[in-house]
Amino acid sequence: MCIFCKIVAKEIPGDIVFESIDVLAFNDLTPQAPTHVLIIPKWHHESAAELAAMAPTTLAELFTVADQIAKERELDGYRLAFNTGESAGQSVFHAHLHLLGGRPFAWPPG
Ligand code: 5GP
Ligand code: ZN
């Protein structure tokens, strides 16, 4: 079982900020911004593309939840990211949407 599946199963603790039938959101262990939440499908999918193909409604919910959390925290803007593949920085192969906010972000990203 992957590390995020273990957090879903509550086998290892996660600092959970939101939970629905299909989606879980928890604070990143190594936050890169004042708000750094990972929003994931509870069912294991390796990538955003696989999630889009297999469960498009759940993919849409990830974005809705991100916006909901941003509104609750009154973020004036936020960045969303799916890293796909090792060269793009993906280290956990369970699809997850990064929600980053609470500081300015540069463009282009590093
Ligand atoms: P990726 O690099 O795959 O896009 O993002 C994986 C993210 O998961 C990283 O930002 C990393 O800090 C976070 N992470 C890795 N292991 C854990 C964990 O056990 N708990 C939590 N909350 N975050 C984790
Ligand atoms: Zn998993």
Side-chain angles (χ1 to χ4, degrees):
M1 202 190 276
C2 92
I3 190 138
F4 287 178
C5 282
K6 285 182 182 164
I7 291 174
V8 170
K10 314 264 163 74
E11 276 186 24
I12 60 168
D15 189 4
I16 293 168
V17 299
F18 173 88
E19 181 161 16
S20 70
I21 292 168
D22 296 317
V23 170
L24 191 71
F26 50 92
N27 287 317
D28 197 292
L29 203 57
T30 315
Q32 302 301 318
T35 285
H36 188 174
V37 176
L38 301 175
I39 307 162
I40 72 167
K42 286 185 173 177
W43 194 257
H44 184 94
H45 298 280
E46 276 214 359
S47 67
E50 191 186 298
L51 179 62
M54 303 298 287
T57 310
T58 302
L59 177 64
E61 188 183 348
L62 301 188
F63 288 100
T64 310
V65 169
D67 191 65
Q68 203 174 300
I69 293 168
K71 284 198 169 85
E72 279 166 15
R73 298 181 182 198
E74 299 182 341
L75 300 180
D76 60 357
Y78 56 82
R79 181 161 295 176
L80 299 177
F82 277 109
N83 296 326
T84 301
E86 272 173 39
S87 64
Q90 188 174 6
S91 59
V92 177
F93 288 81
H94 180 133
H96 50 280
L97 179 62
H98 292 262
L99 165 64
L100 295 144
R103 67 166 172 85
F105 294 100
W107 192 264

